[in-house]
Amino acid sequence: MFYYISGSLTLLTPTFAVVEAGGVGFKLTVSGNTFQTLSPAASKKEIVKLYTELAVREDGMELFGFADEEEMNTFKLLITVSGVGPKAAMAVLTAFTPAKFALAVCTEDRKAIAKANGIGPKTAARIILELRDKMMSESLLPSVEGGTASPIAPAVPAAAGGKLSEAQEALLVLGYSKPQVLQVLHALDTSAMEVEDIIRAALKKLI
C-alpha cells in the first residue's frame, strides 16, 4: 500500500513514530534500531523518510516503519517464518541490526537469536531452519550496479563444500567483496576452527 512515507517527525517513542505527511499524522511502529536512527531528528522535528510495511489482522491494521530498506526486507523475511509475527520480528530487529542478524542466522547462533524478546530456543531454531538458505543465497545489503541501488542483490557464488565455503557465503551476505573475503580466509589457519570461529576471526581482520 505504502512503500515509504516522507514528512516531518512530530513524535518519537521507543516503539512508534508519528510522521506528518500531507496534513496526515501517520503512526508507525518502529524497532529499537530505527528509534536510535531517528532520535537526533526528533527534537528538531526534521523531515524523515521511513520505509513501510502494512500488517493486516482480524482486529485491525498496523503500519511498520523502517529507517532503511535493508531493515524492511529483513522484517519481510522474518514474518515468512512459521510462528513469527510482526511483533516478534520487530523484537528481533530491536536486538540485532540486519547485518548482525544475518550473521547469527548464517552461523546458526540459536542462543543469540533466542535472546530477543519473545523469541525462545524453538523459534530461534525455526528461524535459522527457514531463513539460512535464503540468506546464504541472497544478500540483504544494498549494492550498486550501473549506478542503481538494489535492496536485494545476488550473492557471489561460493566455492563448493567445506567450512571455508560456509564462512565465505556468510561473509558475502554481510556485504564484503569476494576478493576481500578470499584474501582474509587465505591468511587464516582454519584447520582446527569451526565455521563460527572462522567467521569471527575473519571479521576482526575485515572491520
Side-chain angles (χ1 to χ4, degrees):
M1 186 175 183
F2 305 109
Y3 191 76
Y4 67 81
I5 293 175
S6 179
S8 176
L9 180 63
T10 60
L11 178 63
L12 179 65
T13 78
T15 56
F16 72 88
V18 176
V19 177
E20 183 178 342
V24 178
F26 293 90
K27 180 182 178 182
L28 303 101
T29 300
V30 298
S31 70
N33 284 311
T34 291
F35 169 74
Q36 293 296 332
T37 301
L38 294 177
S39 291
S43 61
K44 302 176 184 177
K45 296 187 177 180
E46 294 180 352
I47 300 297
V48 298
K49 181 179 181 179
L50 290 179
Y51 294 90
T52 63
E53 180 71 9
L54 180 65
V56 180
R57 303 186 302 270
E58 290 183 3
D59 59 346
M61 297 185 293
E62 187 171 4
L63 192 61
F64 294 85
F66 308 95
D68 53 50
E69 290 175 289
E70 181 188 354
E71 188 180 43
M72 178 181 69
N73 287 322
T74 303
F75 175 84
K76 289 180 178 180
L77 266 183
L78 274 164
I79 60 176
T80 66
V81 177
S82 176
V84 177
K87 184 178 179 180
M90 294 302 276
V92 172
L93 291 172
T94 293
F96 297 92
T97 64
K100 288 182 178 179
F101 173 67
L103 177 61
V105 171
C106 292
T107 59
E108 301 186 27
D109 194 345
R110 294 175 179 82
K111 289 183 179 179
I113 296 173
K115 289 180 181 178
N117 189 31
I119 303 293
K122 290 184 179 179
T123 303
R126 191 182 304 118
I127 288 171
I128 291 170
L129 177 66
E130 297 188 27
L131 295 187
R132 187 174 183 273
D133 288 345
K134 292 179 182 179
M135 299 188 86
M136 282 291 196
S137 62
E138 295 180 339
S139 170
L140 295 179
L141 299 180
S143 68
V144 177
E145 183 175 336
T148 303
S150 172
I152 300 180
V156 181
K163 296 183 295 184
L164 284 177
S165 174
E166 290 189 41
Q168 178 184 325
E169 289 174 345
L171 292 165
L172 290 170
V173 166
L174 293 176
Y176 295 103
S177 69
K178 189 172 183 179
Q180 283 179 305
V181 170
L182 293 177
Q183 182 179 2
V184 169
L185 292 180
H186 181 72
L188 294 174
D189 180 5
T190 60
S191 57
M193 299 169 70
E194 297 297 327
V195 175
E196 293 85 351
D197 299 323
I198 295 172
I199 294 170
R200 291 190 186 99
L203 285 172
K204 287 181 181 179
K205 293 181 178 294
L206 286 165
I207 294 173

